[in-house]
PDB file of all heavy atoms in Angstrom:
ATOM      1  N   LEU A1089      85.070 118.223  98.661  1.00 90.00           N
ATOM      2  CA  LEU A1089      85.963 117.068  98.327  1.00 90.00           C
ATOM      3  C   LEU A1089      85.646 115.838  99.126  1.00 90.00           C
ATOM      4  O   LEU A1089      84.941 115.862 100.151  1.00 90.00           O
ATOM      5  CB  LEU A1089      87.472 117.528  98.547  1.00 90.00           C
ATOM      6  CG  LEU A1089      87.861 118.845  97.858  1.00 90.00           C
ATOM      7  CD1 LEU A1089      89.205 119.140  98.207  1.00 90.00           C
ATOM      8  CD2 LEU A1089      87.663 118.675  96.370  1.00 90.00           C
ATOM      9  N   LEU A1091      87.692 112.116 100.605  1.00 92.00           N
ATOM     10  CA  LEU A1091      89.076 111.793 101.118  1.00 92.00           C
ATOM     11  C   LEU A1091      89.547 110.489 100.617  1.00 92.00           C
ATOM     12  O   LEU A1091      88.808 109.515 100.421  1.00 92.00           O
ATOM     13  CB  LEU A1091      89.026 111.749 102.708  1.00 92.00           C
ATOM     14  CG  LEU A1091      88.693 112.934 103.444  1.00 92.00           C
ATOM     15  CD1 LEU A1091      88.433 112.651 104.864  1.00 92.00           C
ATOM     16  CD2 LEU A1091      89.885 114.020 103.280  1.00 92.00           C
ATOM     17  N   GLU A1124      91.701 114.368 113.408  1.00 98.00           N
ATOM     18  CA  GLU A1124      90.263 114.522 113.785  1.00 98.00           C
ATOM     19  C   GLU A1124      89.579 113.205 113.744  1.00 98.00           C
ATOM     20  O   GLU A1124      89.773 112.440 112.641  1.00 98.00           O
ATOM     21  CB  GLU A1124      89.576 115.566 113.011  1.00 98.00           C
ATOM     22  CG  GLU A1124      90.344 116.857 112.924  1.00 98.00           C
ATOM     23  CD  GLU A1124      89.765 117.795 111.756  1.00 98.00           C
ATOM     24  OE1 GLU A1124      88.749 117.410 111.141  1.00 98.00           O
ATOM     25  OE2 GLU A1124      90.314 118.829 111.563  1.00 98.00           O
ATOM     26  N   PRO A1125      88.645 112.868 114.550  1.00 97.00           N
ATOM     27  CA  PRO A1125      87.844 111.685 114.279  1.00 97.00           C
ATOM     28  C   PRO A1125      86.958 111.861 113.016  1.00 97.00           C
ATOM     29  O   PRO A1125      86.576 113.014 112.693  1.00 97.00           O
ATOM     30  CB  PRO A1125      86.883 111.639 115.537  1.00 97.00           C
ATOM     31  CG  PRO A1125      87.530 112.514 116.544  1.00 97.00           C
ATOM     32  CD  PRO A1125      88.339 113.546 115.764  1.00 97.00           C
ATOM     33  N   LYS A1126      86.799 110.785 112.191  1.00 96.00           N
ATOM     34  CA  LYS A1126      86.089 110.784 111.085  1.00 96.00           C
ATOM     35  C   LYS A1126      84.608 110.426 111.410  1.00 96.00           C
ATOM     36  O   LYS A1126      84.307 109.297 111.699  1.00 96.00           O
ATOM     37  CB  LYS A1126      86.610 109.926 109.995  1.00 96.00           C
ATOM     38  CG  LYS A1126      85.830 109.994 108.653  1.00 96.00           C
ATOM     39  CD  LYS A1126      86.612 109.259 107.650  1.00 96.00           C
ATOM     40  CE  LYS A1126      85.958 109.514 106.218  1.00 96.00           C
ATOM     41  NZ  LYS A1126      84.726 109.109 106.053  1.00 96.00           N
ATOM     42  N   ILE A1127      83.776 111.455 111.449  1.00 95.00           N
ATOM     43  CA  ILE A1127      82.445 111.275 111.848  1.00 95.00           C
ATOM     44  C   ILE A1127      81.606 110.678 110.825  1.00 95.00           C
ATOM     45  O   ILE A1127      81.625 110.944 109.695  1.00 95.00           O
ATOM     46  CB  ILE A1127      81.767 112.649 112.220  1.00 95.00           C
ATOM     47  CG1 ILE A1127      82.670 113.579 113.110  1.00 95.00           C
ATOM     48  CG2 ILE A1127      80.413 112.495 112.906  1.00 95.00           C
ATOM     49  CD1 ILE A1127      83.010 112.975 114.331  1.00 95.00           C
ATOM     50  N   SER A1131      78.049 115.286 105.186  1.00 95.00           N
ATOM     51  CA  SER A1131      78.681 116.635 105.240  1.00 95.00           C
ATOM     52  C   SER A1131      77.704 117.723 104.711  1.00 95.00           C
ATOM     53  O   SER A1131      76.823 117.463 103.798  1.00 95.00           O
ATOM     54  CB  SER A1131      79.985 116.608 104.463  1.00 95.00           C
ATOM     55  OG  SER A1131      79.789 116.013 103.207  1.00 95.00           O
ATOM     56  N   GLU A1182      80.119 117.989 109.645  1.00 98.00           N
ATOM     57  CA  GLU A1182      79.342 116.772 109.553  1.00 98.00           C
ATOM     58  C   GLU A1182      78.131 116.926 110.391  1.00 98.00           C
ATOM     59  O   GLU A1182      78.150 117.360 111.542  1.00 98.00           O
ATOM     60  CB  GLU A1182      80.169 115.664 110.040  1.00 98.00           C
ATOM     61  CG  GLU A1182      79.756 114.253 109.570  1.00 98.00           C
ATOM     62  CD  GLU A1182      80.324 113.960 108.160  1.00 98.00           C
ATOM     63  OE1 GLU A1182      80.940 114.894 107.548  1.00 98.00           O
ATOM     64  OE2 GLU A1182      80.125 112.925 107.685  1.00 98.00           O
ATOM     65  N   TYR A1234      84.629 121.281 110.656  1.00 98.00           N
ATOM     66  CA  TYR A1234      85.912 120.907 110.504  1.00 98.00           C
ATOM     67  C   TYR A1234      86.607 121.376 109.305  1.00 98.00           C
ATOM     68  O   TYR A1234      87.786 121.108 109.034  1.00 98.00           O
ATOM     69  CB  TYR A1234      86.069 119.354 110.593  1.00 98.00           C
ATOM     70  CG  TYR A1234      85.180 118.576 109.574  1.00 98.00           C
ATOM     71  CD1 TYR A1234      85.354 118.689 108.260  1.00 98.00           C
ATOM     72  CD2 TYR A1234      84.052 117.742 110.066  1.00 98.00           C
ATOM     73  CE1 TYR A1234      84.513 118.027 107.358  1.00 98.00           C
ATOM     74  CE2 TYR A1234      83.279 117.159 109.117  1.00 98.00           C
ATOM     75  CZ  TYR A1234      83.458 117.211 107.801  1.00 98.00           C
ATOM     76  OH  TYR A1234      82.715 116.546 106.933  1.00 98.00           O
ATOM     77  N   VAL A1296      90.771 111.277 110.513  1.00 98.00           N
ATOM     78  CA  VAL A1296      91.251 112.108 109.356  1.00 98.00           C
ATOM     79  C   VAL A1296      92.500 112.850 109.771  1.00 98.00           C
ATOM     80  O   VAL A1296      92.506 113.532 110.817  1.00 98.00           O
ATOM     81  CB  VAL A1296      90.221 113.180 108.915  1.00 98.00           C
ATOM     82  CG1 VAL A1296      90.709 113.809 107.645  1.00 98.00           C
ATOM     83  CG2 VAL A1296      88.868 112.403 108.660  1.00 98.00           C
ATOM     84  N   LYS A1298      95.117 115.873 108.725  1.00 98.00           N
ATOM     85  CA  LYS A1298      95.226 116.989 107.747  1.00 98.00           C
ATOM     86  C   LYS A1298      96.577 117.713 107.999  1.00 98.00           C
ATOM     87  O   LYS A1298      96.901 117.999 109.225  1.00 98.00           O
ATOM     88  CB  LYS A1298      94.044 117.921 108.075  1.00 98.00           C
ATOM     89  CG  LYS A1298      92.739 117.323 107.864  1.00 98.00           C
ATOM     90  CD  LYS A1298      91.578 118.225 108.208  1.00 98.00           C
ATOM     91  CE  LYS A1298      90.228 117.476 108.000  1.00 98.00           C
ATOM     92  NZ  LYS A1298      89.082 118.262 108.486  1.00 98.00           N
ATOM     93  N   PRO A1315      91.681 115.979  98.448  1.00 95.00           N
ATOM     94  CA  PRO A1315      92.825 116.915  98.761  1.00 95.00           C
ATOM     95  C   PRO A1315      94.096 116.006  98.934  1.00 95.00           C
ATOM     96  O   PRO A1315      94.086 114.912  99.302  1.00 95.00           O
ATOM     97  CB  PRO A1315      92.565 117.540 100.065  1.00 95.00           C
ATOM     98  CG  PRO A1315      91.519 116.689 100.715  1.00 95.00           C
ATOM     99  CD  PRO A1315      90.775 115.928  99.634  1.00 95.00           C
ATOM    100  N   TRP A1317      96.362 116.956 100.887  1.00 97.00           N
ATOM    101  CA  TRP A1317      96.855 117.337 102.268  1.00 97.00           C
ATOM    102  C   TRP A1317      96.024 116.586 103.295  1.00 97.00           C
ATOM    103  O   TRP A1317      96.205 116.992 104.470  1.00 97.00           O
ATOM    104  CB  TRP A1317      96.762 118.875 102.405  1.00 97.00           C
ATOM    105  CG  TRP A1317      95.460 119.528 101.959  1.00 97.00           C
ATOM    106  CD1 TRP A1317      95.302 120.068 100.763  1.00 97.00           C
ATOM    107  CD2 TRP A1317      94.263 119.654 102.672  1.00 97.00           C
ATOM    108  NE1 TRP A1317      93.938 120.625 100.626  1.00 97.00           N
ATOM    109  CE2 TRP A1317      93.311 120.254 101.888  1.00 97.00           C
ATOM    110  CE3 TRP A1317      93.786 119.189 103.945  1.00 97.00           C
ATOM    111  CZ2 TRP A1317      92.005 120.565 102.221  1.00 97.00           C
ATOM    112  CZ3 TRP A1317      92.513 119.465 104.311  1.00 97.00           C
ATOM    113  CH2 TRP A1317      91.634 120.152 103.456  1.00 97.00           C
TER     114      TRP A1317
HETATM  115  S1  IVH B1158      87.550 116.651 105.757  1.00 95.61           S
HETATM  116  C1  IVH B1158      88.775 118.394 102.095  1.00 95.61           C
HETATM  117  N1  IVH B1158      87.171 116.037 108.203  1.00 95.61           N
HETATM  118  O1  IVH B1158      84.344 112.146 105.316  1.00 95.61           O
HETATM  119  C2  IVH B1158      87.894 118.064 103.240  1.00 95.61           C
HETATM  120  N2  IVH B1158      85.794 114.967 106.544  1.00 95.61           N
HETATM  121  O2  IVH B1158      85.441 110.626 103.102  1.00 95.61           O
HETATM  122  C3  IVH B1158      87.207 116.851 103.099  1.00 95.61           C
HETATM  123  N3  IVH B1158      84.144 113.448 107.338  1.00 95.61           N
HETATM  124  O3  IVH B1158      82.777 113.966 102.834  1.00 95.61           O
HETATM  125  C4  IVH B1158      86.504 116.480 104.379  1.00 95.61           C
HETATM  126  N4  IVH B1158      84.707 113.640 109.532  1.00 95.61           N
HETATM  127  O4  IVH B1158      81.586 113.780 105.155  1.00 95.61           O
HETATM  128  C5  IVH B1158      86.857 115.811 106.962  1.00 95.61           C
HETATM  129  N5  IVH B1158      86.997 115.381 110.436  1.00 95.61           N
HETATM  130  C6  IVH B1158      86.556 115.339 109.231  1.00 95.61           C
HETATM  131  C7  IVH B1158      85.485 114.458 108.814  1.00 95.61           C
HETATM  132  C8  IVH B1158      85.191 114.324 107.480  1.00 95.61           C
HETATM  133  C9  IVH B1158      83.848 113.068 108.611  1.00 95.61           C
HETATM  134  C10 IVH B1158      83.455 112.966 106.130  1.00 95.61           C
HETATM  135  C11 IVH B1158      82.952 113.976 105.189  1.00 95.61           C
HETATM  136  C12 IVH B1158      83.636 113.783 103.948  1.00 95.61           C
HETATM  137  C13 IVH B1158      83.965 112.317 104.058  1.00 95.61           C
HETATM  138  C14 IVH B1158      85.164 112.052 103.100  1.00 95.61           C
END
Side-chain angles (χ1 to χ4, degrees):
L1089 305 177
L1091 293 170
E1124 304 167 4
K1126 185 167 188 295
I1127 315 297
S1131 48
E1182 204 80 354
Y1234 54 65
V1296 184
K1298 302 176 180 174
W1317 46 264

